[in-house]
């Protein structure tokens, strides 16, 4: 498969504008065998019209059978091979709280946990403490845990989860998790798997020891476990690789963070989908490419609430007319991954896709749905990372390869 | 994806004969949304019958979204990964004029241009001079530009375009273009990007300086720009990799050249498609595999003449009965890439494909067209480089992999 260097050499300027409209976790499953999915159940006249005019297909976020997290799923939609450009858990947690990550930072997830007086873990999640308590503990750690020569940033995520970012020269991330993955065991010591990660191992060990002292009198969260050490190495940006100036419109911090990772500019907007569309309308002249993110289709899938997900899809559909009025040259509508209510989680199923432009062939889709995309879609099934080149081709932003 | 070494180990002899029948730029687009493509519009009873008997699908020349030049597009059909076996612009120009390229030659495209008396480029194409004037200038350069110890070959391509081939030991091609890509600038100096290319940089600099002296009094073409330095390194041949003796029948030099690159024997033929078919009839016993090339489907697409492309496709179709009489075991009919009249250029859209043999499954295609191939074809959508193994398998020319 062609890589970033390949596309860098092909990028071409054009006076065309592109919209990538993502309904998070869009794809789904029928409630029971033989039924309709959430998308097929929803009344989506605007998406159906777009599907009928455009060409449809399916996207595998990573590869067949692989269920992705939100990070890799979005990176793939942005044209990045999600296996090569892997974003570690710590880094995603930092993006998720909107932390302005810098090249060379090492981030790790913190789980507050409970240990007994011999240091043995008795609850890996400290009874899923309330987020408010988490904030108080984070505040305490911020004040009391300092290490000479290292900048340390700590942020609450939710319940028992927090994130820590270490900033200094020469920090690397080949470190094990301290989480023993079972109660009745002591936290693992931090050990570096290579020479260059030894400095970070020392720092992490000191951090854990200091945190243990600071939290000793707390209950139930009297200790921390660290997971998913991840160093941020600057990604090539969408502008460098594909030659497009990209604006990202997303209400949730995680998606803003992933967009920033690839050099998109995050456009301020309110929390509601209508606010996002308004931000799009106000900025439409300022960018070549927009990433517009709709969150709650995924949330309702995660809740396992089929009907509520149907309603969110209908809400998503209702935004399409305003978006179409903006006269984009190319519109792609898809999910980053599937989140079937039946599974209450992300899944491996490919995402339905509409690719709309003046330069695509037709097919036989007259409605937007997973089975229509599979059986009547003219595009076929592709890796999600192949979408960006198809979009750019339709926007006449790729040079011919070879003479 | 399996590479050349993989297939080398699997090749098997068989008494079967194969035809790869390529209509250049076959795939297209509807004139307007919801309409038929050129191929779908054309009356093609013979191709329709072949499609109904065989199995159909789609081929991406390089990868989804990537528009290929003729070189990579044909290499892919011959089973070569077109990214790994990249053919530079200079080399393709040399092939295009039928130059007998040798291992180690470095070729570059020449653009005749106009410079003012300060050496600033005022027209990068010298007003697209007539090809006759080009020939006279090339003759002048051939006589006057010599460099000790180097063989230099110069040939006219068309209008302002020519090609130069440098032959000597130790020539490499990591050199920049001298074309400044804009008027009002001086040509770039030739600079080597690596140590081993320095010899070639010196030669190219001397060539440009001598050419400038020779052309000084000419108008409007008083200077040359060099582009696309490319060294020819011998490719593994189709015989070495796939064990097939291949004959190439093509009226145009470029396609003969690409066929020679992979070790096919070029069979003499006249300029008309009927001449090509006659050459096929006369040589049918002499080769395992034939590449038969039909050019004008692409030419009419490049012209933007939808109706004329339809007529060329009908002409292509009319050749099918004569070809079928020759009792090939496997026939593949496809394009090297798409050339929609709507775009007046090569495009990224996948090529429709018929694979006809006694050993393929059926599908629901009853006519040959892009949408039929996409929606009713049994083969699905593949990279073009995967066609050759499918052809060879059908010709029973591939051993089992593993026990």
């Amino acid at each position: 498969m062609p890589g970033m260097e390949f596309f860098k050499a092909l990028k071409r300027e054009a006076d065309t504008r592109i919209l990538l409209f993502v309904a998070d976790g869009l794809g789904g499953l029928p409630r029971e065998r033989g039924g309709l999915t959430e998308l097929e159940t929803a009344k989506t006249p605007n998406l159906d019209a777009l599907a009928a005019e455009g060409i449809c297909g399916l996207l595998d976020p990573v590869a067949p059978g692989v269920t992705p997290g939100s990070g890799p799923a979005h990176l793939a939609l942005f044209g990045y091979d999600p296996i090569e450009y892997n974003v570690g858990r710590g880094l995603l947690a930092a993006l998720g709280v909107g932390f302005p990550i810098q090249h060379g930072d090492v981030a790790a997830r913190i789980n507050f946990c409970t240990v007994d007086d011999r240091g043995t873990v008795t609850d890996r999640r400290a009874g899923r403490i309330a987020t408010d308590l988490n904030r108080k503990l984070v505040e305490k750690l911020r004040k009391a845990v300092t290490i000479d020569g290292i900048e340390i940033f700590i942020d609450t995520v939710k319940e028992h989860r927090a994130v820590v970012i270490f900033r200094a020269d020469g920090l690397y991330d080949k470190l094990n998790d301290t989480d023993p993955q079972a109660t009745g065991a002591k936290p693992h010591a931090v050990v570096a798997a290579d020479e260059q990660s030894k400095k970070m191992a020392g720092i992490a060990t000191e951090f854990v020891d200091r945190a243990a002292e600071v939290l000793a009198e707390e209950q139930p969260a009297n200790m921390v476990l660290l997971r998913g050490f991840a160093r941020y190495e600057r990604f090539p940006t969408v502008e460098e690789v594909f030659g497009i100036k990209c604006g990202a419109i997303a209400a949730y911090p995680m998606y803003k963070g992933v967009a920033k990772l690839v050099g998109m500019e995050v456009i301020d907007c309110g929390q509601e989908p209508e606010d996002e569309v308004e931000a799009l309308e106000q900025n439409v002249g300022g960018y070549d490419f927009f990433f517009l993110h709709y969150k709650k289709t995924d949330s309702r899938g995660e809740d396992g609430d089929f009907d509520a997900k149907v309603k969110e899809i209908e809400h998503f559909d209702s935004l399409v007319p305003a978006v179409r009025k903006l006269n984009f040259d190319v519109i792609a509508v898809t999910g980053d991954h599937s989140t079937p209510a039946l599974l209450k989680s992300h899944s491996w199923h490919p995402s339905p896709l509409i690719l709309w432009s003046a330069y695509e062939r037709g097919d036989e889709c007259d409605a937007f749905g997973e089975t229509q995309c599979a059986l009547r879609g003219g595009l076929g099934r592709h890796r999600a990372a192949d979408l960006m080149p198809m979009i750019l081709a339709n926007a006449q932003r790729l040079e011919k390869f070879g003479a």
Side-chain angles (χ1 to χ4, degrees), chain A:
Chain A
M1 154 224 161
M4 290 321 203
E5 292 306 313
F6 180 86
F7 287 109
K8 261 189 197 176
L10 294 187
K11 62 176 182 274
R12 174 163 87 173
E13 285 197 29
D15 185 24
T16 51
R17 279 172 316 119
I18 298 162
L19 173 66
L20 172 64
F21 197 7
V22 176
D24 205 298
L26 176 62
L29 284 172
R31 272 187 237 256
E32 54 198 27
R33 183 171 286 146
L36 300 175
T37 66
E38 298 90 329
L39 175 59
E40 290 162 352
T41 302
K43 291 201 174 62
T44 55
N46 301 302
L47 290 167
D48 294 348
L50 198 69
E53 288 178 34
I55 188 165
C56 294
L58 291 172
L59 295 178
D60 284 297
V62 177
V66 177
T67 297
S70 297
H74 275 88
L75 287 172
L77 289 179
F78 300 158
Y80 293 67
D81 179 334
I83 297 177
E84 182 179 352
Y85 293 93
N86 191 5
V87 179
R89 183 185 293 270
L91 200 46
L92 273 170
L95 297 175
V97 298
F99 181 79
I101 198 91
Q102 292 183 12
H103 181 81
D105 287 353
V106 171
R109 265 273 303 276
I110 293 176
N111 277 9
F112 288 107
C113 69
T114 312
V115 293
D116 63 19
D117 49 14
R118 292 160 55 206
T120 302
V121 177
T122 56
D123 187 333
R124 291 174 54 238
R125 298 182 185 86
R128 290 189 187 273
I129 53 168
T131 306
D132 276 350
L133 174 55
N134 180 319
R135 286 189 217 284
K136 281 175 204 158
L137 299 175
V138 163
E139 200 47 49
K140 226 173 152 180
L141 290 175
R142 280 179 181 159
K143 280 182 191 149
V145 181
T146 57
I147 301 175
D148 277 355
I150 314 292
E151 286 186 88
I152 301 178
F153 308 90
I154 312 171
D155 255 317
T156 293
V157 175
K158 198 179 173 185
E159 297 175 344
H160 59 288
R161 298 193 299 274
V163 59
V164 56
I165 296 98
F166 302 93
R167 181 173 294 164
D169 287 339
L171 300 186
Y172 292 88
D173 62 2
K174 293 292 170 290
L175 306 178
N176 60 292
D177 294 349
T178 71
D179 185 345
Q181 291 290 338
T183 50
K186 292 189 180 180
H188 296 309
V190 183
V191 181
D194 60 18
E195 192 59 35
Q196 67 179 3
S197 299
K198 285 190 173 168
K199 177 177 177 183
M200 184 65 237
I203 293 164
T205 302
E206 195 175 338
F207 177 84
V208 170
D209 291 348
R210 289 285 300 126
E213 292 167 28
V214 170
L215 300 175
E217 301 306 313
E218 298 287 337
Q219 271 305 331
N222 62 354
M223 181 54 173
V224 295
L225 300 173
L226 297 185
R227 299 176 66 186
F229 287 93
R231 180 177 199 262
Y232 173 52
E233 303 192 28
R234 191 182 168 281
F235 283 16
T237 69
V238 277
E239 190 145 8
E240 289 162 359
V241 178
F242 300 120
I244 43 176
K245 188 182 175 198
C246 296
I249 301 175
Y252 282 64
M254 156 76 89
Y255 310 96
K256 296 183 194 185
V258 179
K260 273 191 212 157
L261 263 191
V262 297
M264 293 188 185
E265 285 181 25
V266 172
I267 296 168
D268 277 339
C269 67
Q271 284 298 301
E272 296 306 314
E274 284 71 15
D275 300 330
E276 295 185 331
V277 171
E278 194 185 324
L280 179 67
E281 288 166 343
Q282 286 169 355
N283 290 277
V284 71
Y287 299 85
D288 303 316
F289 177 107
F290 288 88
F291 158 54
L292 183 61
H293 182 261
Y294 187 101
K295 171 65 184 169
K296 289 187 179 166
T297 32
D298 175 62
S299 313
R300 299 296 80 79
E302 295 261 10
D303 296 342
D305 190 337
F306 189 100
D307 295 328
K309 187 176 169 194
V310 168
K311 284 219 160 54
E312 287 298 336
I313 293 171
E314 292 176 347
H315 189 179
F316 177 71
D317 178 78
S318 74
L319 305 174
V320 171
V323 156
R324 290 197 66 174
K325 277 196 192 130
L326 302 176
N327 292 317
F328 286 99
D329 296 280
V330 182
I331 300 174
V333 177
T334 189
D336 55 338
H337 53 73
S338 297
T339 306
L342 183 68
L343 291 169
K344 298 186 186 183
S345 65
H346 293 197
S347 79
W348 61 92
H349 304 89
S351 298
L353 165 70
I354 304 169
L355 179 56
W356 181 94
S357 102
Y359 303 114
E360 274 300 339
R361 293 172 184 159
D363 59 19
E364 296 180 355
C365 282
D366 53 16
F368 190 36
E370 292 86 345
T371 302
Q372 284 250 357
C373 286
L375 299 184
R376 300 187 198 189
L379 271 183
R381 183 166 168 169
H382 296 274
R383 298 175 338 121
D386 287 330
L387 174 62
M388 185 62 106
M390 291 193 276
I391 286 175
L392 294 171
N394 273 284
Q396 301 185 278
R397 286 177 173 275
L398 284 182
E399 295 283 358
K400 187 162 67 175
F401 170 63

